Amino acid sequence: MSIESVKEELEKDLKNINSLEQLNDLKIKYLSKKGLITELNSEIKNISNDKKKEFGQKVNELKNTFNNFYEEKKNEYEEELLNKKLANEAIDISLPATKVVTGAPNMLEKLIEEVEEVFMSMGYDVVDGPEIELDKYNFEMLNIPKGHPARDAQDTFYIEGEEILLRSQTSPVQVRTMLKGKGKEPIRVICPGKTYRRDDDDATHSHQFMQIEGLLVDKNISLSDLKGTIDIAAKKIFGPETETRFHPSYYQFTEPSVEGDISCFNCHGKGCHICKNTGWITVIGAGVVHPKVLSMSGYDPNEWSGFAFGFGADRLAMLKYGIDDCRALYNTDLRELKNFDRKEMEWND
Ligand code: DAH
């Protein structure tokens, strides 16, 4: 091919370029080993000496034309591609965000934490005790000897013979705490924990439930200290307008024994389905620690005194969050937990 025809073809080709690929194809067409310009270049040796210089210059010109064009276009296309890519990858802040699915606290856990915080703020420690317990701690050292009718009410699961059982109440933690509490008075503990009983015949009873136990041992402790403590806790948990009242009851490990009521947080005393139209809800068993219980755990009742209380955390959570079936408290379904979460938000308003 002559220089003129290559030049002509090159000029035509350059006009028709509209992509980086086409540009690279042209580079192959003209400058690869068998490219048109390369071939012209290799013809130099066949050209007569007097025309060699001119021929060489023309081929070089062609090469330069191509290379200049190539560099310029290549930059142009690359910039264009980059801009396109940036435009595609740009974040559109007007798009709706992807929703992050968050968890929701379990209502029972939440209630327990709240109670713990209230009592910790009054100087109480949160303690633990075993769920597999000795009859001695679950009953005997709480002044409920073998054969005592009060045992029947607790429908206990025995594991081995008559000595090892699943604790039917958190009260054995009182005994365990007193046994190792010497010299560290005043004893102020609360113990949330699982308890077990054989009755699960309706939606408000389960074979396993949560109790929270409280114990205070010091000098000159009376029923009024108990009343004051319960009153403060109830106001913190159920709202400042909450009132409390005690009425007499009977437990083997306290004397005197009481049951504590709170004024209904739902109707504030007017009467509703939650308080069964009485305006009051019984939530706690309590009393002054029985002298026998103190002395069995090594505290001289002439020197020491205390109060104790215990309540069902499940029941309290059900009341507070308006749950009818205690099994819902052990549910891990986020949709339901979210529902309760929402309810509580309304509750706090
Ligand atoms: N343990 C009792 C129960 O399960 C509740 C209770 C009542 C605990 C009175 C106490 C208390 O510490 O003083 O029914």
Side-chain angles (χ1 to χ4, degrees), residues 244-296:
T244 55
R245 69 174 189 190
F246 280 177
H247 50 87
S249 186
Y250 178 76
Y251 299 103
Q252 294 69 37
F253 35 91
T254 42
E255 179 56 39
S257 300
V258 296
E259 276 186 330
D261 298 349
I262 54 168
S263 56
C264 182
F265 50 82
N266 187 49
C267 65
H268 304 290
K270 280 187 222 99
C272 71
H273 71 287
I274 292 182
C275 59
K276 301 196 177 100
N277 285 321
T278 62
W280 295 92
I281 311 169
T282 303
V283 290
I284 199 166
V288 172
V289 182
H290 197 293
K292 271 192 183 168
V293 173
L294 283 174
S295 62
M296 274 189 273

Short mmCIF file of all heavy atoms in Angstrom, two decimals, residues 244-296:
data_model
loop_
_atom_site.label_atom_id
_atom_site.label_comp_id
_atom_site.label_asym_id
_atom_site.label_seq_id
_atom_site.Cartn_x
_atom_site.Cartn_y
_atom_site.Cartn_z
N THR A 244 -49.22 2.26 98.72
CA THR A 244 -49.07 0.86 99.15
C THR A 244 -49.82 0.65 100.46
O THR A 244 -50.00 1.59 101.24
CB THR A 244 -47.59 0.51 99.38
OG1 THR A 244 -47.04 1.45 100.31
CG2 THR A 244 -46.80 0.55 98.09
N ARG A 245 -50.25 -0.58 100.67
CA ARG A 245 -50.85 -0.91 101.97
C ARG A 245 -50.52 -2.36 102.29
O ARG A 245 -50.29 -3.17 101.39
CB ARG A 245 -52.37 -0.67 101.97
CG ARG A 245 -53.11 -1.65 101.10
CD ARG A 245 -54.62 -1.50 101.21
NE ARG A 245 -55.26 -2.62 100.52
CZ ARG A 245 -56.55 -2.68 100.27
NH1 ARG A 245 -57.35 -1.70 100.64
NH2 ARG A 245 -57.05 -3.73 99.66
N PHE A 246 -50.45 -2.65 103.57
CA PHE A 246 -50.18 -4.03 104.01
C PHE A 246 -51.44 -4.60 104.63
O PHE A 246 -52.20 -3.89 105.26
CB PHE A 246 -49.10 -4.01 105.10
CG PHE A 246 -47.69 -3.88 104.57
CD1 PHE A 246 -46.63 -3.79 105.47
CD2 PHE A 246 -47.41 -3.87 103.21
CE1 PHE A 246 -45.32 -3.69 105.02
CE2 PHE A 246 -46.10 -3.77 102.75
CZ PHE A 246 -45.06 -3.67 103.66
N HIS A 247 -51.63 -5.91 104.45
CA HIS A 247 -52.64 -6.56 105.29
C HIS A 247 -52.04 -7.85 105.83
O HIS A 247 -51.12 -8.41 105.24
CB HIS A 247 -53.97 -6.77 104.57
CG HIS A 247 -53.86 -7.40 103.23
ND1 HIS A 247 -53.85 -8.76 103.04
CD2 HIS A 247 -53.75 -6.85 102.00
CE1 HIS A 247 -53.75 -9.00 101.75
NE2 HIS A 247 -53.69 -7.88 101.09
N PRO A 248 -52.57 -8.29 106.97
CA PRO A 248 -51.93 -9.42 107.65
C PRO A 248 -51.97 -10.69 106.79
O PRO A 248 -52.91 -10.91 106.04
CB PRO A 248 -52.74 -9.62 108.92
CG PRO A 248 -53.62 -8.44 109.03
CD PRO A 248 -53.75 -7.82 107.68
N SER A 249 -50.92 -11.49 106.93
CA SER A 249 -50.89 -12.76 106.20
C SER A 249 -50.13 -13.76 107.07
O SER A 249 -49.84 -13.48 108.24
CB SER A 249 -50.19 -12.53 104.85
OG SER A 249 -50.27 -13.71 104.08
N TYR A 250 -49.79 -14.89 106.49
CA TYR A 250 -49.05 -15.85 107.28
C TYR A 250 -47.98 -16.56 106.46
O TYR A 250 -48.28 -17.15 105.41
CB TYR A 250 -50.00 -16.90 107.90
CG TYR A 250 -49.23 -17.92 108.68
CD1 TYR A 250 -48.72 -17.62 109.95
CD2 TYR A 250 -48.97 -19.20 108.16
CE1 TYR A 250 -47.96 -18.53 110.66
CE2 TYR A 250 -48.22 -20.12 108.87
CZ TYR A 250 -47.71 -19.77 110.12
OH TYR A 250 -46.96 -20.67 110.81
N TYR A 251 -46.76 -16.44 106.86
CA TYR A 251 -45.66 -17.25 106.31
C TYR A 251 -44.89 -17.81 107.49
O TYR A 251 -44.80 -17.17 108.54
CB TYR A 251 -44.73 -16.40 105.44
CG TYR A 251 -45.42 -15.79 104.24
CD1 TYR A 251 -45.78 -14.44 104.24
CD2 TYR A 251 -45.71 -16.55 103.11
CE1 TYR A 251 -46.43 -13.87 103.15
CE2 TYR A 251 -46.36 -15.99 102.02
CZ TYR A 251 -46.72 -14.66 102.04
OH TYR A 251 -47.37 -14.11 100.97
N GLN A 252 -44.32 -18.99 107.32
CA GLN A 252 -43.62 -19.62 108.45
C GLN A 252 -42.33 -18.90 108.80
O GLN A 252 -41.84 -18.97 109.92
CB GLN A 252 -43.29 -21.09 108.13
CG GLN A 252 -44.48 -21.99 107.97
CD GLN A 252 -45.26 -21.65 106.71
OE1 GLN A 252 -44.71 -21.30 105.68
NE2 GLN A 252 -46.57 -21.74 106.83
N PHE A 253 -41.76 -18.22 107.81
CA PHE A 253 -40.43 -17.64 108.06
C PHE A 253 -40.45 -16.16 108.43
O PHE A 253 -39.40 -15.54 108.59
CB PHE A 253 -39.51 -17.87 106.85
CG PHE A 253 -40.24 -17.83 105.52
CD1 PHE A 253 -40.36 -16.65 104.81
CD2 PHE A 253 -40.80 -19.00 105.00
CE1 PHE A 253 -41.03 -16.62 103.60
CE2 PHE A 253 -41.48 -18.97 103.78
CZ PHE A 253 -41.60 -17.78 103.08
N THR A 254 -41.65 -15.60 108.56
CA THR A 254 -41.74 -14.21 109.02
C THR A 254 -42.79 -14.10 110.13
O THR A 254 -43.75 -14.84 110.17
CB THR A 254 -42.14 -13.27 107.86
OG1 THR A 254 -43.17 -13.89 107.09
CG2 THR A 254 -40.97 -12.95 106.96
N GLU A 255 -42.53 -13.15 111.02
CA GLU A 255 -43.50 -12.90 112.09
C GLU A 255 -43.35 -11.47 112.58
O GLU A 255 -42.29 -11.14 113.12
CB GLU A 255 -43.28 -13.90 113.22
CG GLU A 255 -44.20 -13.74 114.40
CD GLU A 255 -45.70 -13.80 114.03
OE1 GLU A 255 -46.06 -14.62 113.17
OE2 GLU A 255 -46.46 -13.02 114.59
N PRO A 256 -44.28 -10.57 112.39
CA PRO A 256 -45.53 -10.79 111.67
C PRO A 256 -45.30 -10.91 110.16
O PRO A 256 -44.27 -10.48 109.64
CB PRO A 256 -46.33 -9.52 111.98
CG PRO A 256 -45.30 -8.47 112.24
CD PRO A 256 -44.14 -9.19 112.87
N SER A 257 -46.30 -11.48 109.49
CA SER A 257 -46.25 -11.61 108.03
C SER A 257 -47.31 -10.71 107.40
O SER A 257 -48.37 -10.50 107.99
CB SER A 257 -46.54 -13.04 107.60
OG SER A 257 -45.60 -13.93 108.15
N VAL A 258 -47.02 -10.22 106.24
CA VAL A 258 -47.99 -9.35 105.56
C VAL A 258 -48.05 -9.68 104.07
O VAL A 258 -47.16 -10.34 103.52
CB VAL A 258 -47.60 -7.85 105.69
CG1 VAL A 258 -47.65 -7.39 107.13
CG2 VAL A 258 -46.24 -7.59 105.07
N GLU A 259 -49.11 -9.20 103.46
CA GLU A 259 -49.15 -9.15 102.01
C GLU A 259 -49.21 -7.67 101.65
O GLU A 259 -49.87 -6.89 102.35
CB GLU A 259 -50.37 -9.87 101.46
CG GLU A 259 -50.12 -11.37 101.32
CD GLU A 259 -51.27 -12.09 100.64
OE1 GLU A 259 -52.43 -11.64 100.77
OE2 GLU A 259 -51.00 -13.10 99.99
N GLY A 260 -48.48 -7.31 100.61
CA GLY A 260 -48.45 -5.89 100.23
C GLY A 260 -49.26 -5.65 98.97
O GLY A 260 -49.17 -6.39 98.01
N ASP A 261 -50.08 -4.60 99.02
CA ASP A 261 -50.88 -4.21 97.84
C ASP A 261 -50.32 -2.90 97.29
O ASP A 261 -49.82 -2.06 98.06
CB ASP A 261 -52.34 -3.94 98.22
CG ASP A 261 -53.04 -5.16 98.78
OD1 ASP A 261 -52.46 -6.26 98.69
OD2 ASP A 261 -54.15 -4.99 99.34
N ILE A 262 -50.46 -2.72 95.99
CA ILE A 262 -50.21 -1.39 95.42
C ILE A 262 -51.54 -0.86 94.88
O ILE A 262 -52.39 -1.66 94.46
CB ILE A 262 -49.16 -1.42 94.28
CG1 ILE A 262 -49.55 -2.43 93.20
CG2 ILE A 262 -47.78 -1.71 94.83
CD1 ILE A 262 -48.73 -2.31 91.93
N SER A 263 -51.69 0.45 94.89
CA SER A 263 -52.92 1.00 94.30
C SER A 263 -52.86 0.72 92.80
O SER A 263 -51.79 0.69 92.21
CB SER A 263 -53.01 2.50 94.57
OG SER A 263 -51.85 3.15 94.08
N CYS A 264 -54.00 0.49 92.19
CA CYS A 264 -54.03 0.05 90.80
C CYS A 264 -53.46 1.14 89.88
O CYS A 264 -53.96 2.25 89.83
CB CYS A 264 -55.45 -0.31 90.38
SG CYS A 264 -55.52 -0.91 88.69
N PHE A 265 -52.40 0.74 89.16
CA PHE A 265 -51.75 1.73 88.27
C PHE A 265 -52.58 2.01 87.04
O PHE A 265 -52.36 2.97 86.32
CB PHE A 265 -50.36 1.24 87.85
CG PHE A 265 -50.37 -0.17 87.31
CD1 PHE A 265 -50.72 -0.42 86.00
CD2 PHE A 265 -50.06 -1.23 88.15
CE1 PHE A 265 -50.75 -1.71 85.51
CE2 PHE A 265 -50.09 -2.52 87.67
CZ PHE A 265 -50.44 -2.77 86.34
N ASN A 266 -53.57 1.15 86.80
CA ASN A 266 -54.39 1.31 85.60
C ASN A 266 -55.54 2.29 85.84
O ASN A 266 -55.76 3.21 85.09
CB ASN A 266 -54.91 -0.06 85.18
CG ASN A 266 -55.62 -0.01 83.85
OD1 ASN A 266 -55.09 0.56 82.89
ND2 ASN A 266 -56.82 -0.57 83.80
N CYS A 267 -56.29 2.08 86.97
CA CYS A 267 -57.48 2.92 87.19
C CYS A 267 -57.28 3.91 88.33
O CYS A 267 -58.17 4.71 88.63
CB CYS A 267 -58.68 2.03 87.46
SG CYS A 267 -58.50 1.10 89.00
N HIS A 268 -56.10 3.83 89.00
CA HIS A 268 -55.80 4.70 90.13
C HIS A 268 -56.90 4.65 91.19
O HIS A 268 -57.34 5.68 91.70
CB HIS A 268 -55.54 6.14 89.68
CG HIS A 268 -54.45 6.21 88.65
ND1 HIS A 268 -53.14 5.96 88.96
CD2 HIS A 268 -54.49 6.42 87.32
CE1 HIS A 268 -52.41 6.04 87.86
NE2 HIS A 268 -53.21 6.30 86.85
N GLY A 269 -57.38 3.45 91.46
CA GLY A 269 -58.31 3.27 92.57
C GLY A 269 -59.78 3.29 92.21
O GLY A 269 -60.63 2.95 93.03
N LYS A 270 -60.09 3.64 90.96
CA LYS A 270 -61.52 3.70 90.60
C LYS A 270 -62.13 2.32 90.47
O LYS A 270 -63.33 2.14 90.66
CB LYS A 270 -61.68 4.46 89.27
CG LYS A 270 -61.63 5.95 89.45
CD LYS A 270 -61.96 6.63 88.13
CE LYS A 270 -61.03 7.81 87.89
NZ LYS A 270 -59.93 7.55 86.99
N GLY A 271 -61.33 1.34 90.11
CA GLY A 271 -61.83 -0.02 89.90
C GLY A 271 -61.80 -0.38 88.42
O GLY A 271 -62.37 0.36 87.60
N CYS A 272 -61.14 -1.47 88.09
CA CYS A 272 -61.06 -1.92 86.69
C CYS A 272 -60.81 -3.42 86.66
O CYS A 272 -60.72 -4.05 87.72
CB CYS A 272 -59.94 -1.16 85.94
SG CYS A 272 -58.29 -1.65 86.48
N HIS A 273 -60.66 -3.99 85.45
CA HIS A 273 -60.50 -5.44 85.40
C HIS A 273 -59.17 -5.90 85.99
O HIS A 273 -59.06 -7.00 86.52
CB HIS A 273 -60.66 -5.94 83.96
CG HIS A 273 -59.52 -5.56 83.08
ND1 HIS A 273 -59.32 -4.28 82.64
CD2 HIS A 273 -58.49 -6.30 82.59
CE1 HIS A 273 -58.23 -4.23 81.89
NE2 HIS A 273 -57.72 -5.45 81.84
N ILE A 274 -58.15 -5.05 85.93
CA ILE A 274 -56.83 -5.46 86.44
C ILE A 274 -56.87 -5.63 87.97
O ILE A 274 -56.37 -6.60 88.51
CB ILE A 274 -55.74 -4.45 86.01
CG1 ILE A 274 -55.54 -4.53 84.49
CG2 ILE A 274 -54.42 -4.72 86.75
CD1 ILE A 274 -54.48 -3.64 83.93
N CYS A 275 -57.53 -4.69 88.66
CA CYS A 275 -57.58 -4.78 90.13
C CYS A 275 -58.86 -5.46 90.58
O CYS A 275 -59.18 -5.46 91.76
CB CYS A 275 -57.44 -3.40 90.75
SG CYS A 275 -58.73 -2.26 90.22
N LYS A 276 -59.56 -6.06 89.66
CA LYS A 276 -60.84 -6.74 89.95
C LYS A 276 -61.78 -5.80 90.73
O LYS A 276 -62.39 -6.19 91.73
CB LYS A 276 -60.61 -8.04 90.69
CG LYS A 276 -59.74 -9.01 89.90
CD LYS A 276 -59.81 -10.43 90.42
CE LYS A 276 -59.00 -11.37 89.57
NZ LYS A 276 -57.67 -11.71 90.11
N ASN A 277 -61.82 -4.57 90.30
CA ASN A 277 -62.70 -3.54 90.87
C ASN A 277 -62.44 -3.19 92.32
O ASN A 277 -63.30 -2.60 92.98
CB ASN A 277 -64.17 -3.94 90.71
CG ASN A 277 -64.60 -3.74 89.28
OD1 ASN A 277 -64.22 -2.75 88.66
ND2 ASN A 277 -65.38 -4.66 88.76
N THR A 278 -61.25 -3.55 92.83
CA THR A 278 -60.99 -3.22 94.24
C THR A 278 -60.14 -1.96 94.37
O THR A 278 -60.04 -1.37 95.44
CB THR A 278 -60.24 -4.37 94.94
OG1 THR A 278 -58.98 -4.52 94.26
CG2 THR A 278 -61.02 -5.67 94.88
N GLY A 279 -59.46 -1.57 93.26
CA GLY A 279 -58.56 -0.43 93.33
C GLY A 279 -57.16 -0.81 93.82
O GLY A 279 -56.25 0.01 93.81
N TRP A 280 -57.00 -2.06 94.27
CA TRP A 280 -55.71 -2.50 94.82
C TRP A 280 -55.27 -3.82 94.18
O TRP A 280 -56.11 -4.64 93.82
CB TRP A 280 -55.81 -2.71 96.34
CG TRP A 280 -56.08 -1.44 97.08
CD1 TRP A 280 -57.31 -0.95 97.42
CD2 TRP A 280 -55.11 -0.52 97.58
NE1 TRP A 280 -57.17 0.24 98.08
CE2 TRP A 280 -55.83 0.53 98.21
CE3 TRP A 280 -53.71 -0.45 97.57
CZ2 TRP A 280 -55.19 1.62 98.81
CZ3 TRP A 280 -53.07 0.63 98.16
CH2 TRP A 280 -53.81 1.66 98.78
N ILE A 281 -53.97 -4.00 94.07
CA ILE A 281 -53.45 -5.27 93.54
C ILE A 281 -52.42 -5.82 94.52
O ILE A 281 -51.47 -5.13 94.91
CB ILE A 281 -52.74 -5.05 92.17
CG1 ILE A 281 -53.62 -4.23 91.22
CG2 ILE A 281 -52.39 -6.38 91.53
CD1 ILE A 281 -52.87 -3.76 89.97
N THR A 282 -52.64 -7.07 94.94
CA THR A 282 -51.67 -7.69 95.85
C THR A 282 -50.48 -8.18 95.05
O THR A 282 -50.63 -8.93 94.08
CB THR A 282 -52.33 -8.89 96.58
OG1 THR A 282 -53.49 -8.39 97.25
CG2 THR A 282 -51.39 -9.52 97.58
N VAL A 283 -49.29 -7.71 95.43
CA VAL A 283 -48.12 -8.06 94.62
C VAL A 283 -46.99 -8.73 95.39
O VAL A 283 -46.07 -9.28 94.81
CB VAL A 283 -47.53 -6.82 93.89
CG1 VAL A 283 -48.44 -6.34 92.79
CG2 VAL A 283 -47.21 -5.71 94.87
N ILE A 284 -47.03 -8.70 96.72
CA ILE A 284 -45.83 -9.13 97.44
C ILE A 284 -46.16 -9.81 98.76
O ILE A 284 -47.18 -9.49 99.40
CB ILE A 284 -44.93 -7.87 97.68
CG1 ILE A 284 -43.49 -8.27 97.99
CG2 ILE A 284 -45.50 -6.97 98.74
CD1 ILE A 284 -42.52 -7.10 97.89
N GLY A 285 -45.35 -10.81 99.12
CA GLY A 285 -45.44 -11.42 100.44
C GLY A 285 -44.23 -10.94 101.21
O GLY A 285 -43.15 -10.81 100.65
N ALA A 286 -44.41 -10.65 102.49
CA ALA A 286 -43.28 -10.07 103.22
C ALA A 286 -43.48 -10.22 104.72
O ALA A 286 -44.50 -10.74 105.19
CB ALA A 286 -43.13 -8.59 102.86
N GLY A 287 -42.51 -9.77 105.48
CA GLY A 287 -42.67 -9.79 106.93
C GLY A 287 -41.35 -9.55 107.64
O GLY A 287 -40.31 -9.35 107.01
N VAL A 288 -41.45 -9.57 108.95
CA VAL A 288 -40.25 -9.42 109.77
C VAL A 288 -39.67 -10.83 109.97
O VAL A 288 -40.40 -11.77 110.31
CB VAL A 288 -40.63 -8.78 111.14
CG1 VAL A 288 -39.44 -8.80 112.10
CG2 VAL A 288 -41.13 -7.36 110.92
N VAL A 289 -38.38 -10.97 109.73
CA VAL A 289 -37.76 -12.30 109.75
C VAL A 289 -38.03 -12.98 111.11
O VAL A 289 -37.80 -12.40 112.18
CB VAL A 289 -36.24 -12.23 109.48
CG1 VAL A 289 -35.64 -13.64 109.47
CG2 VAL A 289 -35.97 -11.53 108.15
N HIS A 290 -38.54 -14.21 111.04
CA HIS A 290 -38.90 -14.97 112.25
C HIS A 290 -37.66 -15.21 113.09
O HIS A 290 -36.60 -15.57 112.55
CB HIS A 290 -39.51 -16.31 111.80
CG HIS A 290 -40.28 -16.99 112.88
ND1 HIS A 290 -39.68 -17.49 114.02
CD2 HIS A 290 -41.61 -17.25 113.00
CE1 HIS A 290 -40.61 -18.03 114.80
NE2 HIS A 290 -41.80 -17.89 114.20
N PRO A 291 -37.76 -15.02 114.43
CA PRO A 291 -36.58 -15.23 115.29
C PRO A 291 -35.95 -16.62 115.10
O PRO A 291 -34.74 -16.75 115.13
CB PRO A 291 -37.14 -15.10 116.71
CG PRO A 291 -38.44 -14.38 116.57
CD PRO A 291 -38.95 -14.59 115.18
N LYS A 292 -36.78 -17.62 114.85
CA LYS A 292 -36.24 -18.96 114.68
C LYS A 292 -35.37 -19.04 113.43
O LYS A 292 -34.36 -19.74 113.39
CB LYS A 292 -37.39 -19.97 114.52
CG LYS A 292 -37.89 -20.54 115.82
CD LYS A 292 -38.78 -21.72 115.47
CE LYS A 292 -39.42 -22.34 116.67
NZ LYS A 292 -40.47 -23.28 116.26
N VAL A 293 -35.81 -18.35 112.36
CA VAL A 293 -35.05 -18.35 111.11
C VAL A 293 -33.70 -17.66 111.32
O VAL A 293 -32.65 -18.14 110.89
CB VAL A 293 -35.85 -17.66 109.98
CG1 VAL A 293 -35.02 -17.50 108.72
CG2 VAL A 293 -37.11 -18.48 109.67
N LEU A 294 -33.74 -16.54 112.05
CA LEU A 294 -32.48 -15.83 112.35
C LEU A 294 -31.54 -16.75 113.12
O LEU A 294 -30.37 -16.91 112.76
CB LEU A 294 -32.77 -14.58 113.19
CG LEU A 294 -33.33 -13.35 112.47
CD1 LEU A 294 -33.68 -12.27 113.49
CD2 LEU A 294 -32.33 -12.80 111.46
N SER A 295 -32.06 -17.39 114.17
CA SER A 295 -31.15 -18.17 115.01
C SER A 295 -30.67 -19.44 114.29
O SER A 295 -29.53 -19.84 114.46
CB SER A 295 -31.75 -18.47 116.38
OG SER A 295 -32.90 -19.24 116.23
N MET A 296 -31.52 -20.05 113.44
CA MET A 296 -31.06 -21.23 112.71
C MET A 296 -29.89 -20.87 111.79
O MET A 296 -29.06 -21.70 111.47
CB MET A 296 -32.21 -21.85 111.89
CG MET A 296 -33.06 -22.82 112.69
SD MET A 296 -34.21 -23.71 111.64
CE MET A 296 -35.60 -22.60 111.62
#
